[in-house]
């Protein structure tokens, strides 16, 4: 496998995921075009803070784009949310074992993409994990460990092969009663791309969308410099506590961490990414960052690599075009061959991306 691994030393500072446009003290190589100004706005969608930054000539233009993004994210949330009454996701789950449900083209697309990657990842990514995930009560203040018996009873409901898409009819069908659709591992990435599409449609050349760590970047920065993205230390995920910084000039970068919605019991970290084979929290990694052309695919892969672990995960990533990964697992850091570590950048890992 063409990947590098390096021991991590306790002294290495690590932490949270944070988009850091130029706040690290490096100097710009060029000037930003004078007519462009930076505007930022944060909206809430899919229970996530989505921050949009863009460089445009006027405040009017920025407001127009922000308002279109807000409307689009609200519309998509109404379709894809697992909590909003009337969403496609809720309708599909309610009709499990009974009948196919006619859904919007967006839902059809997300489900089809998810199934394609379920296949590619040999089931590590599985949009039917909800009944098992529910056993853990992560959505409440009292998460619990399910009993072996509960897991055994529920696991048969987790099977992406029982999700049937009829493209001609525009329907999705879960073929066993009790199954539930869970787009939590892909929807955030999808809406991140959807927001970026609005920027592009409005002629915005330079900008970023950050949906709680699902990041899509347009262009390099207007001054020609790359964006620098900090990746949170999974061991101590406080603000601005990065274990790595990655320089990127566009595309998407998504991080999944086992420090989100987690609890520790008997020395084991119980968190919200589930290994569909066992129903237990995936133990393959503590932090996975994936770079890909779209946030939708990067989101799917960051969840899948958590389950696959660094060896199988990097083998998969090396087989996919324009895709890279940075993984913290078992106290070591692993990365794919297109990430180039830079020396002399202090005590955090610092990567650039190889030109294709
Ligand atoms: P986050 O939402 O914290 O950024 P992820 O993108 O990794 O993290 O998504 C985690 C969510 O994905 C879970 O809350 C759950 O809804 C869903 N999920 C958990 N395990 C899997 C899995 N093996 N395959 C697909 N989706 C999963
Ligand atoms: Mg994901």
């Amino acid at each position: 496998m063409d990947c590098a691994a390096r021991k991590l030393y306790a002294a290495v500072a690590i932490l949270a995921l944070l988009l850091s446009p130029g706040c690290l003290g490096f100097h710009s190589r060029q000037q930003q075009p004078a007519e462009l100004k930076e505007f930022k706005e944060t909206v809430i969608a899919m229970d996530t803070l989505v921050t949009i930054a863009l460089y445009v000539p006027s405040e009017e233009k920025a407001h127009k784009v922000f308002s279109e993004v807000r409307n689009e994210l609200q519309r998509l949330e109404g379709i894809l949310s697992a909590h909003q009454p009337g969403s496609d996701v809720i309708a599909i789950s309610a009709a499990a074992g009974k009948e196919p449900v006619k859904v919007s083209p967006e839902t059809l697309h997300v489900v089809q993409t998810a199934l394609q990657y379920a296949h590619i990842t040999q089931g590590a990514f599985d949009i039917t994990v909800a009944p098992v995930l529910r056993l853990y009560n992560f959505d409440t203040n009292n998460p619990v460990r399910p009993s072996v018996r509960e897991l055994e009873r529920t696991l048969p409901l987790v099977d992406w092969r029982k999700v049937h898409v009829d493209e001609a009819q525009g329907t999705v069908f879960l073929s066993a009663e009790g199954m539930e659709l869970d787009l939590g591992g892909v929807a955030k990435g999808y809406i991140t791309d959807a927001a970026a599409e609005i920027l592009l449609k409005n002629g915005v050349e330079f900008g970023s969308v950050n949906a709680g760590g699902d990041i899509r970047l347009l262009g390099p920065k207007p001054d020609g410099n790359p964006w620098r993205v900090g990746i949170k230390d999974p061991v101590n995920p406080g603000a601005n506590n990065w274990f790595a910084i990655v320089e990127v000039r566009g595309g998407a970068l998504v991080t999944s961490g086992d420090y989100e919605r987690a609890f520790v019991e008997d020395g084991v970290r119980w968190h919200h990414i589930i290994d569909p084979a066992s129903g237990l929290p995936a133990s393959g990694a503590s932090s996975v960052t994936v770079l890909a052309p779209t946030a939708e695919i990067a989101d799917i892969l960051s969840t899948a690599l958590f389950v696959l672990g660094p060896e199988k995960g990097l083998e998969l990533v090396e087989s996919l075009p324009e895709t890279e990964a940075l993984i913290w697992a078992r106290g070591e850091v692993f990365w794919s061959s297109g990430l180039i570590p830079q020396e002399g950048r202090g005590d955090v890992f610092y990567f650039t991306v190889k030109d294709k």
Side-chain angles (χ1 to χ4, degrees):
M1 196 192 320
D2 188 13
C3 72
R6 206 197 273 188
K7 271 259 177 277
L8 251 200
Y9 296 99
V12 173
I14 318 203
L15 302 185
L17 192 138
L18 168 119
L19 190 60
S20 56
C23 63
L24 296 171
F26 299 107
H27 296 290
S28 295
R29 274 168 237 137
Q30 299 161 34
Q31 288 294 309
Q32 177 176 315
E35 68 279 11
L36 293 181
K37 291 189 212 94
E38 189 192 22
F39 297 90
K40 263 191 188 178
E41 171 113 335
T42 297
V43 300
I44 298 179
M46 311 287 294
D47 299 325
T48 305
L49 293 179
V50 184
T51 300
I52 302 113
L54 41 81
Y55 295 82
V56 287
S58 72
E59 197 167 344
E60 291 72 39
K61 174 85 177 176
H63 279 310
K64 174 178 182 284
V65 177
F66 289 144
S67 142
E68 281 184 31
V69 169
R70 209 176 303 116
N71 290 341
E72 177 66 350
L73 294 191
Q74 219 166 39
R75 186 182 76 83
L76 291 175
E77 182 167 21
I79 295 170
L80 298 172
S81 165
H83 308 293
Q84 275 204 18
S87 77
D88 282 350
V89 168
I90 290 184
I92 292 166
S93 298
K98 298 187 191 109
E99 61 196 1
V101 175
K102 181 120 177 95
V103 296
S104 63
E106 290 85 354
T107 307
L108 211 62
H109 162 88
V110 174
V111 171
Q112 277 180 314
T113 310
L115 293 178
Q116 187 192 342
Y117 279 82
H119 186 73
I120 292 173
T121 62
Q122 297 179 329
F125 190 78
D126 190 324
I127 50 174
T128 67
V129 293
V132 165
L133 200 56
R134 184 183 301 286
L135 300 175
Y136 290 87
N137 282 349
F138 280 117
D139 285 343
T140 71
N141 287 331
N142 296 307
V144 290
R145 277 167 69 165
S147 67
V148 173
R149 182 181 292 218
E150 276 178 306
L151 280 177
E152 278 174 357
R153 211 173 38 219
T154 314
L155 260 180
L157 296 172
V158 177
D159 188 352
W160 62 275
R161 289 183 181 81
K162 292 182 186 153
V163 182
H164 303 280
V165 173
D166 185 329
E167 211 176 323
Q169 298 293 323
T171 60
V172 178
F173 179 44
L174 307 180
S175 64
E177 203 170 331
M179 284 179 75
E180 279 177 59
L181 193 68
D182 180 354
L183 299 180
V186 54
K188 235 164 56 176
Y190 179 75
I191 67 160
T192 301
D193 289 332
E197 289 303 324
I198 303 269
L199 268 57
L200 285 170
K201 203 183 76 195
N202 277 280
V204 176
E205 270 184 85
F206 307 104
S208 66
V209 180
N210 183 350
D214 286 30
I215 297 171
R216 173 85 183 263
L217 302 163
L218 301 184
K221 289 167 64 190
D223 61 8
N225 282 322
W227 304 87
R228 299 187 184 96
V229 182
I231 316 293
K232 269 188 193 175
D233 176 350
V235 180
N236 190 7
N240 295 4
N241 208 5
W242 311 320
F243 87 89
I245 292 164
V246 186
E247 272 194 1
V248 260
R249 294 184 165 275
L253 184 152
V254 172
T255 299
S256 288
D258 71 0
Y259 41 88
E260 309 277 0
R261 281 175 275 166
F263 64 101
V264 177
E265 201 171 296
D266 296 341
V268 174
R269 183 169 284 275
W270 298 80
H271 63 92
H272 71 311
I273 298 174
I274 300 295
D275 182 343
S278 64
L280 296 172
S283 55
S286 297
S287 167
V288 175
T289 297
V290 173
L291 288 79
T294 67
E296 180 186 30
I297 304 303
D299 194 4
I300 289 176
L301 289 174
S302 69
T303 305
L305 263 57
F306 234 91
V307 176
L308 292 172
E311 288 81 12
K312 279 192 191 159
L314 286 180
E315 199 177 302
L316 171 64
V317 161
E318 296 293 352
S319 75
L320 300 172
E322 293 180 76
T323 308
E324 305 298 338
L326 172 62
I327 303 171
W328 172 303
R330 308 180 298 253
E332 284 184 66
V333 176
F334 302 80
W335 58 88
S336 57
S337 58
L339 290 180
I340 313 300
Q342 307 294 309
E343 300 297 330
R345 297 286 196 150
D347 56 2
V348 298
F349 288 87
Y350 195 107
F351 294 96
T352 56
V353 183
K354 200 189 260 179
D355 279 338
K356 290 280 175 297

